[in-house]
Amino acid sequence: MENRLAVIGIIIEEIDSAGPVNELLHEHSQYIVGRMGIPYRSREISVITIVLDAPEQVISSLSGKLGMIPGISVKSMFAKSKGNGQ
């Protein structure tokens, strides 16, 4: 299966949801190219951006699992070109 480049944006509005988010990201660490986390203290939220190089099905599955965690908002964006994989 061909890999795709994607970005997943995550907003954590409930601090108790950070643990399950980090567990899922750890399970998919082999596909993560980069991660940026920003604690936005004045609004009591955290924003995480993940860059992935993975099969489309893996990216969609991860995004869906993240979206099922209470207190989390998730959006995914895929690069237009499929690239050449790993």
Side-chain angles (χ1 to χ4, degrees), residues 42-55:
S42 65
R43 289 194 178 246
E44 297 181 354
I45 63 171
S46 293
V47 179
I48 300 173
T49 303
I50 306 295
V51 178
L52 298 151
D53 186 354

Side-chain angles (χ1 to χ4, degrees), residues 5-81:
L5 183 65
V7 175
I8 297 179
I10 306 163
I11 298 177
I12 301 175
E13 298 181 64
E14 294 179 18
I15 193 67
D16 293 341
S17 298
V21 168
N22 284 319
E23 286 176 27
L24 274 173
L25 296 179
H26 179 73
E27 290 172 16
H28 293 80
S29 62
Q30 69 201 55
Y31 301 111
I32 296 176
V33 175
R35 171 182 173 163
M36 178 179 62
I38 302 170
Y40 195 171
R41 290 181 183 89
S42 65
R43 289 194 178 246
E44 297 181 354
I45 63 171
S46 293
V47 179
I48 300 173
T49 303
I50 306 295
V51 178
L52 298 151
D53 186 354
E56 189 170 349
Q57 186 176 21
V58 170
I59 297 166
S60 296
S61 174
L62 173 58
S63 185
K65 288 176 184 177
L66 288 166
M68 290 189 292
I69 299 172
I72 302 294
S73 298
V74 179
K75 292 292 179 189
S76 299
M77 180 173 47
F78 289 87
K80 288 183 181 180
S81 65

